Amino acid sequence: MANRPHANNDPVPHRPPVPDPELVVRDEDWYARELTADDRFTRYSFLDTDWTEVASSGTVFDECTFAGVRFNASRHTGAAFTNCTFRNCTFFDTRFTDCKLVGSVFQRCTFNLFQVSGGDWSYVGLPGADLRQATIENVRMREVDLSAARLEKAVLTGTDLSGAMLGGAKLTGADLRGSDLSALDPLTVELHGAMIDLPQAAVIAAALGLRVG
């Protein structure tokens, strides 16, 4: 089982390992580059790199650091970003399809028109992330950290959120239908106007100590 990543707002952040100079990609323009399953990056550091319109398919990134990387309009299909750190990155019109991000953590990143479909995002750290109006569908997000995340009007459907950390999350107007809400404490999140289905209503009622008959 992957270790739970540290929260974005950790008051005493751990000192990152000193990157290997041979594995540092800095200030490079990767605009519209196509990455395939033949490309594999382990413990690389991508710093202030432009990934606008990059397309990765089956590419593997393991224990990599992305700092100040612009992922705008990039498309990632069947790629793996495992145990990676994303810091001060921008995700504008970015799409992840059937990707694996187990154990990765996002710190001070921005998300606009952000879309995730399928894949495994278990143990991912997204505390405090601004995911308003994001679309996340049919994703495995077991034990994900979404504490204090902003998910107003987001689509979060058909997703496995079992064991998720959701305390303080804002889910106002979100579409949650078909997702596992067994870890949700309705007293610690904002749910006004959220859309749920009947089985979810029963789960929330039980969490409030009510009996459904």
Side-chain angles (χ1 to χ4, degrees), residues 118-141:
D120 191 347
W121 287 53
S122 299
Y123 311 105
V124 166
L126 284 160
D130 188 343
L131 292 163
R132 285 176 289 180
Q133 300 186 42
T135 298
I136 302 173
E137 300 176 299
N138 304 313
V139 183
R140 184 176 183 179
M141 300 184 83

Side-chain angles (χ1 to χ4, degrees), residues 6-203:
H6 295 287
N8 291 4
N9 54 359
D10 187 347
V12 186
H14 291 258
R15 186 182 299 277
V18 177
D20 182 340
E22 298 295 322
L23 303 179
V24 174
V25 179
R26 185 190 300 272
D27 296 320
E28 291 193 10
D29 184 356
W30 283 30
Y31 178 82
R33 182 172 296 193
E34 295 186 5
L35 304 173
T36 70
D38 293 330
D39 297 304
R40 185 180 184 96
F41 302 87
T42 301
R43 299 189 181 89
Y44 270 71
S45 294
F46 298 91
L47 311 177
D48 301 314
T49 303
D50 187 359
W51 278 41
T52 300
E53 295 192 20
V54 164
S56 68
S57 178
T59 312
V60 173
F61 301 87
D62 186 45
E63 296 185 24
C64 291
T65 296
F66 300 85
V69 176
R70 297 178 293 282
F71 286 92
N72 302 333
S74 61
R75 302 289 184 263
H76 309 278
T77 304
F81 295 82
T82 51
N83 298 304
C84 292
T85 298
F86 299 86
R87 186 181 301 114
N88 296 320
C89 295
T90 58
F91 297 89
F92 175 80
D93 189 24
T94 307
R95 298 181 186 178
F96 290 90
T97 304
D98 296 326
C99 292
K100 181 178 181 180
L101 279 87
V102 173
S104 290
V105 61
F106 293 79
Q107 301 173 327
R108 299 181 298 279
C109 296
T110 59
F111 305 88
N112 293 286
L113 301 177
F114 185 67
Q115 298 184 42
V116 181
S117 178
D120 191 347
W121 287 53
S122 299
Y123 311 105
V124 166
L126 284 160
D130 188 343
L131 292 163
R132 285 176 289 180
Q133 300 186 42
T135 298
I136 302 173
E137 300 176 299
N138 304 313
V139 183
R140 184 176 183 179
M141 300 184 83
R142 292 185 177 181
E143 299 193 42
V144 67
D145 187 352
L146 285 167
S147 54
R150 300 200 61 178
L151 290 153
E152 295 99 320
K153 296 185 179 179
V155 174
L156 193 60
T157 55
T159 292
D160 182 357
L161 291 168
S162 55
M165 299 173 63
L166 296 165
K170 293 178 171 57
L171 295 161
T172 304
D175 185 350
L176 306 173
R177 291 175 295 177
S179 291
D180 184 332
L181 301 181
S182 58
L184 185 147
D185 182 346
L187 298 178
T188 66
V189 300
E190 295 183 15
L191 281 171
H192 180 74
M195 187 176 297
I196 59 175
D197 53 34
L198 290 177
Q200 290 171 320
V203 170

